[in-house]
Amino acid sequence: MAQSALLIIDVQTSFLHRPYWSEADLPPFKQALTALIEGCRQRGALLVDIFHDDGEWPFALDSGLVTRLPFLTHTADVTVYKHVHNALTESGLHAWLQERRIKHLIIAGLRTEQCCETTARVASDLGYRVTFVTEATLTFPMTHAGRAVSTAELKFHTETVLIDRFAAIRDVSGCLAELTAAD
């Protein structure tokens, strides 16, 4: 039985309806996430689709937008819905993973510094070994105190606060190489 699971967090159509949506970083994200999903499946890792449902349009189930972005075609081993920023505390996912004796979580999806990072921190606190695949995450520029923060800066900050504390930081090839070595 697999000891690893890939968490595909919030890669959902809801985001297309947010004012900050941008396709600037979408092509490399799509390529990285698709390669990660295919590689994880080939190596026996479980695939977990996680969707954010906060009850408000466009993140409400009844909006019809809490569905995968169209480029995703994989078959998930389980689909869960979360109502908070992390995927583990109230979605039933933690129990599902424990039942399957999953010890290692691979994090990918939307948004790098929000739901992906928060899930990595909680997963670490719950005792999982965590691999954060930054190139298979997507985020959008933000502004704080009049200063624009680029996606590259957000991703760098996330890596900085996670590395050696909450998660190993890997690119897709590094993550897949580790899964192969673990077999």
Side-chain angles (χ1 to χ4, degrees):
M1 178 175 282
Q3 289 284 309
S4 298
L6 170 60
L7 306 187
I8 306 160
I9 300 171
D10 299 348
V11 185
Q12 63 193 70
T13 307
S14 308
F15 280 102
L16 299 176
H17 301 275
R18 298 311 263 176
Y20 51 76
W21 174 258
S22 169
E23 298 199 4
D25 296 329
L26 189 60
F29 166 70
K30 287 168 60 172
Q31 182 179 2
L33 184 59
T34 300
L36 183 62
I37 291 169
E38 290 172 5
C40 283
R41 177 58 85 201
Q42 290 169 358
R43 289 159 179 82
L46 299 178
L47 302 181
V48 180
D49 277 344
I50 300 158
F51 295 106
H52 189 81
D53 168 22
D54 67 10
E56 293 185 27
W57 192 91
F59 289 90
L61 280 178
D62 63 4
S63 72
L65 301 171
V66 181
T67 60
R68 287 184 192 158
L69 283 175
F71 73 91
L72 293 175
T73 60
H74 63 278
T75 300
D77 292 291
V78 67
T79 299
V80 299
Y81 297 88
K82 63 183 186 58
H83 309 287
V84 296
H85 293 101
N86 84 83
L88 295 160
T89 58
E90 49 71 73
S91 65
L93 179 57
H94 179 53
W96 186 88
L97 294 166
Q98 286 185 316
E99 288 169 8
R100 284 151 187 81
R101 301 186 198 292
I102 300 299
K103 308 266 188 234
H104 174 224
L105 300 182
I106 302 162
I107 308 290
L110 285 166
R111 294 179 62 180
T112 308
E113 78 292 349
Q114 292 183 27
C115 296
C116 294
E117 180 181 326
T118 305
T119 298
R121 288 172 180 265
V122 172
S124 175
D125 285 350
L126 291 172
Y128 294 98
R129 183 170 62 88
V130 179
T131 301
F132 196 91
V133 186
T134 311
E135 75 175 324
T137 68
L138 181 69
T139 195
F140 311 100
M142 298 174 78
T143 302
H144 175 66
R147 180 180 175 266
V149 183
S150 71
T151 59
E153 289 174 290
L154 290 166
K155 287 184 171 193
F156 180 79
H157 181 267
T158 293
E159 288 182 348
T160 301
V161 298
L162 291 180
I163 195 166
D164 298 329
R165 294 172 193 89
F166 300 98
I169 306 299
R170 299 288 181 265
D171 60 11
V172 171
S173 62
C175 176
L176 296 179
E178 285 184 356
L179 283 177
T180 299
D183 285 345

